[in-house]
């Protein structure tokens, strides 16, 4: 599972803006996996993986067929997932407020995606990519924080560079 998260994280870090369906597929997969693991106790790892794969496939299909809805929905799930995971990574317990924190992060993510789609997608895919990459390793909290910031900056830089190379006349 760690290798899978690592590969998905690298893909998002580099190509999240260009492959919107990949972004939503990964968001669906990560959300489905974590949701099944946290809420449905006693399931085998294979069943949790199947739930995650179905969630990821649904996310990718929504991105392809219902793009307008997918932008806001993807922003919501990415924002919620990221806020919960970031708080966890920095040692802040979400205990009884897990769903409230998820909803707050989701609303912020949805608003960002609606207002500034291109930049929000670059930023959210870089953050999610960095999160997935770092979840693949067991590092100390300080090193994780430094690497997280470095990976996010790297992802934003790479994706912004790809936009500039593809459309230099647009001035993005």
């Amino acid at each position: 599972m760690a290798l899978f998260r690592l590969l998905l994280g690298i893909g998002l870090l580099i190509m999240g803006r260009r492959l919107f369906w990949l972004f939503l597929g990964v968001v669906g997969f990560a959300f489905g996996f974590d949701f099944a693991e946290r809420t449905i106790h006693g399931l085998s790892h294979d069943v949790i993986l199947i739930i995650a794969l179905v969630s990821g496939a649904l996310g990718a299909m929504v991105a392809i067929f219902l793009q307008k809805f997918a932008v806001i929905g993807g922003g919501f799930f990415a924002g919620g997932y990221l806020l919960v995971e970031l708080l966890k990574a920095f040692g802040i317990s979400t205990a009884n407020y897990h769903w409230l924190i998820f909803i707050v992060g989701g609303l912020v993510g949805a608003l960002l995606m609606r207002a500034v789609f291109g930049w929000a997608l670059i930023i959210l895919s870089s953050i999610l990519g960095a999160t997935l990459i770092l979840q693949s390793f067991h590092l100390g909290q300080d090193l994780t924080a430094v690497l997280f910031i470095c990976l996010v900056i790297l992802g934003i830089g790479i994706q912004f560079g790809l936009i500039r190379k593809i459309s230099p006349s647009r001035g993005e």
Side-chain angles (χ1 to χ4, degrees):
M1 189 62 188
L3 179 62
F4 192 60
R5 283 185 186 257
L6 176 65
L7 294 174
L8 288 175
I10 291 169
L12 277 181
L13 200 68
I14 295 170
M15 299 297 288
R17 167 74 167 97
R18 302 253 314 135
L19 300 175
F20 180 61
W21 62 269
L22 174 66
F23 171 72
L24 284 185
V26 171
V27 168
F29 177 84
F31 176 77
F33 189 89
D34 289 348
F35 178 78
E37 196 173 55
R38 285 186 184 138
T39 59
I40 309 171
H41 301 288
L43 287 180
S44 72
H45 186 71
D46 292 340
V47 173
I48 292 173
L49 189 57
I50 289 169
I51 291 170
L53 289 171
V54 168
S55 299
L58 286 173
M61 286 191 301
V62 166
I64 293 168
F65 297 113
L66 303 170
Q67 190 171 17
K68 229 174 220 194
F69 172 74
V71 168
I72 295 170
F76 179 83
F77 282 105
Y81 177 77
L82 286 172
L83 183 57
V84 169
E85 291 301 313
L86 288 174
L87 290 175
K88 224 176 14 173
F90 289 106
I92 301 170
S93 174
T94 60
N96 296 332
Y97 301 104
H98 180 80
W99 286 107
L100 179 62
I101 291 169
F102 184 89
I103 290 170
V104 168
L107 291 173
V108 170
L111 289 172
L112 276 173
M113 288 294 268
R114 177 84 169 115
V116 286
F117 173 71
W119 276 105
L121 186 54
I122 288 172
I123 292 167
L124 287 175
S125 64
S126 295
I127 292 171
L128 184 57
T131 301
L132 290 173
I133 289 169
L134 292 173
Q135 284 177 346
S136 304
F137 303 100
H138 299 288
L139 306 170
Q141 191 172 352
D142 292 338
L143 182 57
T144 298
V146 170
L147 287 176
F148 174 78
I149 292 167
C150 292
L151 286 172
V152 169
I153 291 169
L154 178 67
I156 291 170
I158 289 171
Q159 291 186 57
F160 181 72
L162 287 174
I163 290 172
R164 302 285 296 168
K165 284 182 183 177
I166 292 169
S167 59
S169 63
R170 287 180 34 191
E172 288 185 46

